[in-house]
Amino acid sequence: MYPNLEAEIKRLNLSRQDIAKKMNWGIATTSNKLTGKTPIDFEEAVRFKKDVLMVEIPLEKLFEKRNS
């Protein structure tokens, strides 16, 4: 759903458990948000970028959606 986000997660070798812990989400919530089943709101996207990925990629690029 978010190819650039997926690429960064893989590059950093982060598991869904790692992300869930850093974002204070459950595993199911994490999975749903990363697959696009549940939206990631603006505040979550900012926190995800800052606290989980710690990258300089613009939010618009990081959370750019892929049509499925």
Side-chain angles (χ1 to χ4, degrees):
M1 179 55 91
Y2 304 104
N4 298 326
L5 179 62
E6 290 172 16
E8 286 302 311
I9 289 169
K10 285 180 184 176
R11 185 181 69 77
L12 295 169
N13 198 31
L14 294 171
S15 69
R16 296 208 191 265
Q17 290 84 4
D18 296 331
I19 295 166
K21 185 175 181 179
K22 289 181 179 188
M23 290 298 292
N24 198 28
W25 291 338
I27 296 297
T29 298
T30 301
S31 182
N32 288 339
K33 287 184 179 284
L34 294 179
T35 59
K37 291 179 183 175
T38 304
I40 297 174
D41 66 33
F42 179 75
E43 289 81 15
E44 290 171 329
V46 170
R47 196 162 53 97
F48 198 106
K49 178 184 167 184
K50 178 181 171 260
D51 297 343
V52 178
L53 301 177
M54 297 176 272
V55 295
E56 295 298 321
I57 300 168
L59 282 176
E60 298 84 6
K61 184 73 172 169
L62 194 59
F63 289 93
E64 185 175 58
K65 289 185 178 181
R66 169 183 62 216
N67 292 334
S68 340

